[in-house]
Structures are given as C-alpha cells and as structure tokens.
Amino acid sequence: MTTPDGDRPTDPEKWMAEVRQMRADKDEFFTDHPQSPIDPDYRDDFEGLNYFEPDPDFRVLARVRVYGNPDPIELDVTAGQPIRYLRAVIFEFELRGERIQMAGYRQESDDDRTIFIPFRDKTTGQQTYHRGRYMEMEPDDDLVNGDVVTLDFNLAYNPFCAYAETFACPLPPEENWLDVVVPAGEKSPPESIVDQ
C-alpha cells in the first residue's frame, strides 16, 4: 500500500493566516478567559504562547484503519487514576521520509465523533512540553477503512497540565511515540506563566 503524500494547502497564504488567527484567539483565551489554565497571578506577564512557524510540510494525508469493535485502553494521567479510552482508529502516513502509524482514541463514555491523538516526538522534552502534545480531529462523518484524512501537526497543542499541575492530563501511550522530529505546532510554554 502506498501511503498518501502530504496535503499542501491550495491557498498557502490563506491557510497560514487561518493558523495565525487560531493562535491569536488562543492567546486571547489564555489572557482573559475564566477557564484559562494560567494562574491569574501570572497573566500580566503573558505575552503569547510559543509556536513553531506554520509549515505545510507538517500537514499530512493519513489513511485510516477503523476498529469495528474498538479495544479499550487505559491512558495514564499526570495525576490520579488512568482514563479509559477506546482505540478507535489507526492513522497511517509518511512524515519526513518515515512511514508512521499512530492511534486515535475516543473516550469510552463519549458519543461524539472527536478523535483524540496524544503523541510524543523527538522534540518532546527539548523544544516541546516534556509530557507530550495533543491533536484532535472531528470528522464530518463516521470514518471507514480506507478513508484519507488530513492531520495537521501545526495544530498540535499542549495539555493544560503544561501550565498548572492542578490539571490531570492523559499521557501519550508508547504506540504514539514518534521516532521523528516534528517541529510544528506549540512549543514548550513560557516559563514566566508556568505554575509548577
């Protein structure tokens, strides 16, 4: 089977503007929203999150393998009891010349279509948060075997526990530890806003 190549945006400037706008919206949420993970005492020092420059090379087309009867898996969390998920799909794609498989999960009790994709890569603990990052996708319809979807690592983000230890966040399981460098998406949080 040939894995699809990357998904280059048809209008790169529009795509880049959309990514930058999403980042600006997130900075605004972190600055002002009552549910911001940043401690109110640190918000005056907040000047925005750290990101890699948007790079369309980290938008990939992934072929989907769907589990008809998803296997349950317990994901360890940063604090507290593991959380039970269903291993819903496997994404198969190429990134930086490597063929990669990565699992996507749904919460066992959740009926929505959102697929949770926690992962680590070779930037983890160096340029990016040491416990890994997340992506999510919400397909318009139920996925079936052979579907091809876009995974955009430029949208990878840190869990809230990167900003405050009061949050309990699922940790990426070993099957989603990628043996490639993924310099895309959110970097490690600014030290001035982290409550550790």
Short mmCIF file of all heavy atoms in Angstrom, two decimals, residues 4-11 15-16 18-19 22 55-62 93-95 149-155 182 184:
data_model
loop_
_atom_site.label_atom_id
_atom_site.label_comp_id
_atom_site.label_asym_id
_atom_site.label_seq_id
_atom_site.Cartn_x
_atom_site.Cartn_y
_atom_site.Cartn_z
N PRO A 4 -0.42 8.07 1.33
CA PRO A 4 -0.56 9.35 0.63
C PRO A 4 0.53 10.34 1.03
O PRO A 4 1.07 10.30 2.13
CB PRO A 4 -1.93 9.85 1.08
CG PRO A 4 -2.64 8.66 1.60
CD PRO A 4 -1.59 7.74 2.13
N ASP A 5 0.86 11.21 0.09
CA ASP A 5 1.82 12.28 0.38
C ASP A 5 1.16 13.35 1.23
O ASP A 5 0.00 13.27 1.57
CB ASP A 5 2.34 12.89 -0.92
CG ASP A 5 3.16 11.89 -1.72
OD1 ASP A 5 3.80 11.03 -1.09
OD2 ASP A 5 3.16 11.97 -2.96
N GLY A 6 1.93 14.40 1.52
CA GLY A 6 1.41 15.49 2.33
C GLY A 6 0.26 16.23 1.64
O GLY A 6 0.08 16.15 0.43
N ASP A 7 -0.47 16.95 2.45
CA ASP A 7 -1.64 17.69 1.97
C ASP A 7 -1.29 19.17 1.91
O ASP A 7 -1.49 19.90 2.87
CB ASP A 7 -2.83 17.43 2.90
CG ASP A 7 -4.09 18.13 2.43
OD1 ASP A 7 -4.18 18.42 1.23
OD2 ASP A 7 -4.98 18.36 3.26
N ARG A 8 -0.73 19.61 0.79
CA ARG A 8 -0.35 21.02 0.66
C ARG A 8 -1.61 21.87 0.54
O ARG A 8 -2.51 21.53 -0.22
CB ARG A 8 0.50 21.23 -0.59
CG ARG A 8 1.71 20.32 -0.68
CD ARG A 8 2.77 20.63 0.32
NE ARG A 8 3.40 21.91 0.09
CZ ARG A 8 4.47 22.34 0.76
NH1 ARG A 8 5.01 21.59 1.70
NH2 ARG A 8 5.00 23.51 0.51
N PRO A 9 -1.71 22.95 1.29
CA PRO A 9 -2.90 23.80 1.17
C PRO A 9 -2.99 24.41 -0.23
O PRO A 9 -1.98 24.79 -0.82
CB PRO A 9 -2.69 24.88 2.24
CG PRO A 9 -1.25 24.82 2.60
CD PRO A 9 -0.75 23.46 2.28
N THR A 10 -4.22 24.49 -0.76
CA THR A 10 -4.40 25.06 -2.10
C THR A 10 -4.10 26.55 -2.10
O THR A 10 -3.67 27.09 -3.11
CB THR A 10 -5.83 24.81 -2.61
OG1 THR A 10 -6.76 25.28 -1.62
CG2 THR A 10 -6.07 23.32 -2.83
N ASP A 11 -4.33 27.21 -0.99
CA ASP A 11 -4.02 28.64 -0.86
C ASP A 11 -3.14 28.80 0.38
O ASP A 11 -3.65 29.03 1.49
CB ASP A 11 -5.32 29.45 -0.73
CG ASP A 11 -5.06 30.96 -0.72
OD1 ASP A 11 -3.91 31.37 -0.45
OD2 ASP A 11 -6.02 31.71 -0.97
N TRP A 15 -4.21 29.67 4.31
CA TRP A 15 -4.00 28.66 5.36
C TRP A 15 -3.15 29.22 6.49
O TRP A 15 -3.48 29.08 7.66
CB TRP A 15 -3.34 27.41 4.75
CG TRP A 15 -2.86 26.45 5.78
CD1 TRP A 15 -3.62 25.57 6.51
CD2 TRP A 15 -1.52 26.28 6.24
NE1 TRP A 15 -2.83 24.86 7.39
CE2 TRP A 15 -1.54 25.29 7.25
CE3 TRP A 15 -0.32 26.88 5.90
CZ2 TRP A 15 -0.38 24.87 7.89
CZ3 TRP A 15 0.83 26.46 6.56
CH2 TRP A 15 0.79 25.48 7.55
N MET A 16 -2.06 29.90 6.12
CA MET A 16 -1.17 30.46 7.16
C MET A 16 -1.90 31.51 7.98
O MET A 16 -1.74 31.58 9.21
CB MET A 16 0.09 31.03 6.51
CG MET A 16 1.18 31.34 7.52
SD MET A 16 2.79 31.69 6.75
CE MET A 16 3.23 30.10 6.09
N GLU A 18 -5.07 31.58 8.61
CA GLU A 18 -6.00 30.88 9.49
C GLU A 18 -5.29 30.30 10.71
O GLU A 18 -5.79 30.37 11.83
CB GLU A 18 -6.72 29.78 8.72
CG GLU A 18 -7.73 30.30 7.71
CD GLU A 18 -8.28 29.21 6.80
OE1 GLU A 18 -7.76 28.06 6.84
OE2 GLU A 18 -9.22 29.50 6.03
N VAL A 19 -4.11 29.72 10.49
CA VAL A 19 -3.33 29.18 11.61
C VAL A 19 -2.95 30.31 12.58
O VAL A 19 -3.11 30.18 13.80
CB VAL A 19 -2.07 28.44 11.11
CG1 VAL A 19 -1.16 28.06 12.29
CG2 VAL A 19 -2.46 27.19 10.32
N MET A 22 -5.99 31.38 14.61
CA MET A 22 -6.30 30.42 15.68
C MET A 22 -5.37 30.62 16.87
O MET A 22 -5.79 30.55 18.03
CB MET A 22 -6.21 28.99 15.16
CG MET A 22 -7.39 28.56 14.32
SD MET A 22 -7.36 26.78 13.91
CE MET A 22 -6.21 26.77 12.57
N ASP A 55 4.15 25.44 8.94
CA ASP A 55 4.89 24.77 7.87
C ASP A 55 3.99 23.72 7.22
O ASP A 55 3.63 22.72 7.86
CB ASP A 55 6.14 24.10 8.47
CG ASP A 55 7.05 23.50 7.41
OD1 ASP A 55 6.58 23.29 6.26
OD2 ASP A 55 8.22 23.22 7.72
N PRO A 56 3.62 23.92 5.95
CA PRO A 56 2.71 22.97 5.31
C PRO A 56 3.30 21.57 5.16
O PRO A 56 2.56 20.62 4.93
CB PRO A 56 2.43 23.61 3.94
CG PRO A 56 3.52 24.60 3.72
CD PRO A 56 3.95 25.06 5.08
N ASP A 57 4.62 21.42 5.31
CA ASP A 57 5.20 20.07 5.25
C ASP A 57 4.70 19.18 6.39
O ASP A 57 4.85 17.96 6.32
CB ASP A 57 6.73 20.15 5.31
CG ASP A 57 7.34 20.66 4.02
OD1 ASP A 57 6.63 20.67 2.99
OD2 ASP A 57 8.52 21.05 4.03
N PHE A 58 4.14 19.79 7.42
CA PHE A 58 3.65 19.01 8.55
C PHE A 58 2.14 18.85 8.53
O PHE A 58 1.53 18.53 9.55
CB PHE A 58 4.17 19.60 9.87
CG PHE A 58 5.65 19.45 10.00
CD1 PHE A 58 6.50 20.49 9.65
CD2 PHE A 58 6.20 18.25 10.38
CE1 PHE A 58 7.88 20.34 9.71
CE2 PHE A 58 7.58 18.08 10.46
CZ PHE A 58 8.41 19.12 10.12
N ARG A 59 1.55 19.09 7.37
CA ARG A 59 0.17 18.66 7.08
C ARG A 59 0.31 17.37 6.28
O ARG A 59 0.92 17.37 5.21
CB ARG A 59 -0.55 19.69 6.21
CG ARG A 59 -1.14 20.85 6.96
CD ARG A 59 -1.63 21.88 5.98
NE ARG A 59 -2.64 21.40 5.05
CZ ARG A 59 -3.95 21.57 5.20
NH1 ARG A 59 -4.41 22.21 6.25
NH2 ARG A 59 -4.79 21.11 4.31
N VAL A 60 -0.23 16.29 6.78
CA VAL A 60 -0.07 15.01 6.09
C VAL A 60 -1.44 14.40 5.79
O VAL A 60 -2.40 14.62 6.53
CB VAL A 60 0.78 14.01 6.92
CG1 VAL A 60 2.19 14.56 7.13
CG2 VAL A 60 0.13 13.69 8.26
N LEU A 61 -1.47 13.66 4.70
CA LEU A 61 -2.64 12.84 4.41
C LEU A 61 -2.42 11.48 5.04
O LEU A 61 -1.37 10.86 4.86
CB LEU A 61 -2.83 12.70 2.90
CG LEU A 61 -3.30 13.95 2.17
CD1 LEU A 61 -3.32 13.71 0.67
CD2 LEU A 61 -4.69 14.36 2.65
N ALA A 62 -3.39 11.04 5.81
CA ALA A 62 -3.29 9.77 6.52
C ALA A 62 -4.42 8.85 6.09
O ALA A 62 -5.58 9.27 6.02
CB ALA A 62 -3.34 10.00 8.03
N PHE A 93 0.63 7.12 7.69
CA PHE A 93 1.08 8.24 6.87
C PHE A 93 2.59 8.26 6.80
O PHE A 93 3.28 7.50 7.50
CB PHE A 93 0.55 9.56 7.43
CG PHE A 93 0.91 9.84 8.87
CD1 PHE A 93 2.03 10.59 9.19
CD2 PHE A 93 0.12 9.35 9.91
CE1 PHE A 93 2.37 10.85 10.51
CE2 PHE A 93 0.44 9.60 11.23
CZ PHE A 93 1.57 10.35 11.53
N GLU A 94 3.10 9.13 5.94
CA GLU A 94 4.54 9.35 5.85
C GLU A 94 4.86 10.75 6.34
O GLU A 94 4.13 11.70 6.05
CB GLU A 94 5.04 9.19 4.41
CG GLU A 94 5.08 7.74 3.97
CD GLU A 94 5.75 7.56 2.63
OE1 GLU A 94 6.33 8.54 2.11
OE2 GLU A 94 5.69 6.44 2.10
N LEU A 95 5.92 10.85 7.11
CA LEU A 95 6.37 12.15 7.60
C LEU A 95 7.88 12.13 7.66
O LEU A 95 8.47 11.23 8.27
CB LEU A 95 5.78 12.43 8.99
CG LEU A 95 6.07 13.79 9.61
CD1 LEU A 95 5.48 14.91 8.75
CD2 LEU A 95 5.52 13.89 11.03
N VAL A 149 -7.63 11.24 5.47
CA VAL A 149 -7.90 12.47 6.21
C VAL A 149 -6.61 13.28 6.34
O VAL A 149 -5.51 12.75 6.17
CB VAL A 149 -8.47 12.18 7.62
CG1 VAL A 149 -9.78 11.42 7.53
CG2 VAL A 149 -7.46 11.41 8.46
N THR A 150 -6.76 14.55 6.64
CA THR A 150 -5.61 15.43 6.88
C THR A 150 -5.32 15.50 8.37
O THR A 150 -6.21 15.78 9.17
CB THR A 150 -5.88 16.85 6.35
OG1 THR A 150 -6.10 16.79 4.94
CG2 THR A 150 -4.70 17.77 6.63
N LEU A 151 -4.08 15.24 8.72
CA LEU A 151 -3.58 15.51 10.07
C LEU A 151 -2.63 16.70 9.96
O LEU A 151 -1.66 16.65 9.20
CB LEU A 151 -2.84 14.30 10.64
CG LEU A 151 -3.65 13.01 10.84
CD1 LEU A 151 -2.74 11.92 11.42
CD2 LEU A 151 -4.83 13.24 11.75
N ASP A 152 -2.89 17.73 10.72
CA ASP A 152 -2.08 18.94 10.65
C ASP A 152 -1.34 19.14 11.97
O ASP A 152 -1.91 19.60 12.96
CB ASP A 152 -2.97 20.16 10.34
CG ASP A 152 -2.15 21.39 9.97
OD1 ASP A 152 -0.93 21.40 10.25
OD2 ASP A 152 -2.73 22.34 9.42
N PHE A 153 -0.06 18.78 11.97
CA PHE A 153 0.74 18.91 13.18
C PHE A 153 0.98 20.37 13.56
O PHE A 153 1.41 20.65 14.68
CB PHE A 153 2.07 18.17 13.02
CG PHE A 153 1.93 16.67 13.11
CD1 PHE A 153 1.70 15.92 11.97
CD2 PHE A 153 2.01 16.02 14.32
CE1 PHE A 153 1.57 14.54 12.03
CE2 PHE A 153 1.88 14.64 14.41
CZ PHE A 153 1.66 13.89 13.26
N ASN A 154 0.69 21.29 12.65
CA ASN A 154 0.77 22.72 13.01
C ASN A 154 -0.26 23.08 14.07
O ASN A 154 -0.15 24.13 14.70
CB ASN A 154 0.55 23.58 11.77
CG ASN A 154 1.67 23.44 10.76
OD1 ASN A 154 2.71 24.05 10.90
ND2 ASN A 154 1.46 22.62 9.74
N LEU A 155 -1.26 22.22 14.25
CA LEU A 155 -2.30 22.46 15.25
C LEU A 155 -2.05 21.70 16.55
O LEU A 155 -2.88 21.72 17.45
CB LEU A 155 -3.67 22.07 14.67
CG LEU A 155 -4.04 22.71 13.33
CD1 LEU A 155 -5.43 22.27 12.89
CD2 LEU A 155 -3.94 24.23 13.39
N VAL A 182 9.25 16.58 14.98
CA VAL A 182 8.06 17.27 14.46
C VAL A 182 8.08 18.72 14.97
O VAL A 182 7.40 19.06 15.95
CB VAL A 182 6.76 16.56 14.88
CG1 VAL A 182 5.56 17.23 14.21
CG2 VAL A 182 6.80 15.08 14.51
N ALA A 184 6.58 21.47 14.71
CA ALA A 184 5.34 22.11 14.25
C ALA A 184 4.39 22.22 15.43
O ALA A 184 4.41 21.38 16.34
CB ALA A 184 4.69 21.29 13.13
#
